[in-house]
Amino acid sequence: MNAVFSHRPVLRDQVVAWLTQNGGERYVDATVGGGGHAEALLAARPAIRVWAVDQDPEAVAAARERLRPYGERVQVVQGNFRHLAALVPAAFRPVDGVLFDLGVSQWQLERPERGFSYQHDAPLDMRMDPAGDRSAFQLVNMGSFEELTRVIREWGEERWAGRIAAFIVEARRREPIRTTGQLVDVIKAAVPAAARRTGGHPARRTFQALRIWVNQELEALEEGLDAARDLLAPGGRIAVLSFHSLEDRIVKVRLRQWQEAGWGTVLTRHPVVPEPAERAENPRSRSAKLRVFARRAESS
Ligand SMILES: C[S@@+](CC[C@H](N)C(=O)[O-])C[C@H]1O[C@@H](n2cnc3c(N)ncnc32)[C@H](O)[C@@H]1O
């Protein structure tokens, strides 16, 4: 599995530099994925130890495999980072840094059976944790017109949300919408031809919205950030890589609130973004924004 876990860690060297430049030793990777960032952290200094989390059991297995050479210096556990307080044992705290690299990995997108991608035909699923209690099938086939419209408008920032919701409701009267391919066809029919010629794939925003709903991504992010803050040692840092404006807004507001409350300092006045070379080489990195917060050096 390791060999096929294709995911390039975005802003890898910058993330490692921000987290480790104060000489810390204990780090939490809240979204270990294939373990790319975790491996870079472990390689930075022999004293570094990493407690790694991912809600996707397949990612956990891949990360364990990849990070095996680091032996006892790394632990990989399955769980949702909204429960970080319970996932990181007392013996590992306080920590010098926490990393969040949000969203899905390239590898998850490329596994058709997970149903994340509008480019493959697969059952409508989109759960990062296959034991999760809601799937895209549920919202698409059971959600009301109003709920579908709201989700697609707010979380997809899709201007055609009302039309897409109406077409979904109409299509599912004939038969359930079971696959990503069926849903893509419904969305294509709903979005006017002129609008389809611009702005990328017509299903991109709706798929983003469904994924956020299925995985309760924004609630998890708010809870995860707060849980991470409580793990930090004085001077410890939180680094967050976000990939769309809804996530970035939550991160920006949260870090600013912490600063205003006297908890510490936002170190990135403006978000750090990849250089042109990385953007050219890794399309997924193009929307990335990195924000970093440091807890006050003196404990209060
Ligand atoms: C972009 S990938 C991380 C890639 C990783 N940094 C690397 O270098 O390979 C994001 C990962 O976060 C996981 N994830 C997303 N939301 C999560 C949550 N709420 N709790 C735990 N893991 C989550 C996904 O399952 C996915 O594996």
Side-chain angles (χ1 to χ4, degrees):
M1 185 186 305
N2 192 23
V4 298
F5 200 109
S6 51
H7 181 90
R8 289 183 218 200
V10 173
L11 285 168
R12 186 192 60 196
D13 297 347
Q14 293 88 333
V15 164
V16 172
W18 279 106
L19 287 174
T20 63
Q21 64 198 181
N22 277 357
E25 297 188 350
R26 291 182 193 195
Y27 292 90
V28 170
D29 184 342
T31 52
V32 71
H37 284 105
E39 175 158 50
L41 275 169
L42 289 159
R45 272 200 312 273
I48 287 180
R49 293 195 287 145
V50 174
W51 196 273
V53 172
D54 202 292
Q55 65 174 327
D56 181 343
E58 293 186 338
V60 168
R64 280 192 182 137
E65 178 88 21
R66 176 170 184 173
L67 302 173
R68 185 167 300 152
Y70 296 91
E72 304 273 287
R73 292 174 59 203
V74 58
Q75 292 291 329
V76 187
V77 298
Q78 197 236 331
N80 191 311
F81 59 57
R82 69 198 303 176
H83 307 307
L84 216 47
L87 291 167
V88 180
F92 197 78
R93 305 181 199 183
V95 304
D96 299 300
V98 183
L99 169 64
F100 292 86
D101 176 15
L102 300 171
V104 280
S105 63
Q106 191 58 33
W107 182 76
Q108 286 166 324
L109 282 173
E110 284 167 10
R111 304 269 291 197
E113 69 276 15
R114 304 297 295 269
F116 284 115
S117 171
Y118 45 78
Q119 320 231 6
H120 304 283
D121 194 18
L124 261 184
D125 190 324
M126 301 195 192
R127 283 174 298 182
M128 289 191 214
D129 175 356
D133 57 8
R134 26 161 96 179
S135 74
F137 178 88
Q138 195 181 321
L139 179 61
V140 167
N141 290 284
M142 271 90 93
S144 65
F145 166 75
E146 289 76 17
E147 187 175 20
L148 279 165
T149 307
R150 183 184 62 77
V151 169
I152 298 170
R153 177 171 297 134
E154 279 182 25
W155 294 344
E157 299 183 292
E158 169 64 67
R159 62 185 287 228
W160 302 106
R163 265 179 75 86
I164 292 172
F167 273 61
I168 288 175
V169 170
E170 181 55 33
R172 75 189 189 192
R173 270 204 198 108
R174 294 191 292 275
E175 57 167 337
I177 302 173
R178 294 187 191 283
T179 68
T180 49
Q182 281 173 279
L183 181 60
V184 167
D185 288 344
V186 173
I187 296 169
K188 280 186 177 161
V191 176
R196 258 186 279 138
R197 284 191 284 273
T198 57
H201 195 289
R204 189 176 63 80
R205 293 169 184 277
T206 301
F207 270 59
Q208 171 182 304
L210 294 177
R211 205 195 76 198
I212 290 174
W213 181 87
V214 168
N215 298 290
Q216 297 173 274
E217 291 181 26
L218 305 181
E219 296 94 320
L221 176 56
E222 290 184 334
E223 292 171 23
L225 288 173
D226 287 348
R229 189 201 61 186
D230 293 341
L231 297 177
L232 288 184
R237 296 179 173 191
I238 294 182
V240 191
L241 273 168
S242 66
F243 291 87
H244 56 76
S245 57
L246 298 165
E247 287 171 348
D248 185 54
R249 204 174 304 143
I250 288 174
V251 176
K252 182 176 155 183
V253 169
R254 217 30 156 231
L255 303 194
R256 199 198 297 136
Q257 284 169 345
W258 294 348
Q259 176 166 288
E260 284 164 5
W263 269 84
T265 315
V266 178
L267 301 180
T268 44
R269 255 178 79 82
H270 300 289
V272 178
V273 297
E275 297 290 333
E278 180 171 359
R279 297 160 68 89
E281 198 181 296
N282 180 6
R284 184 174 176 275
S285 76
R286 288 180 198 153
S287 53
K289 287 190 173 151
L290 171 66
R291 296 186 188 269
V292 185
F293 176 86
R295 190 180 154 185
R296 283 171 44 175
E298 296 299 309
S299 54
S300 46

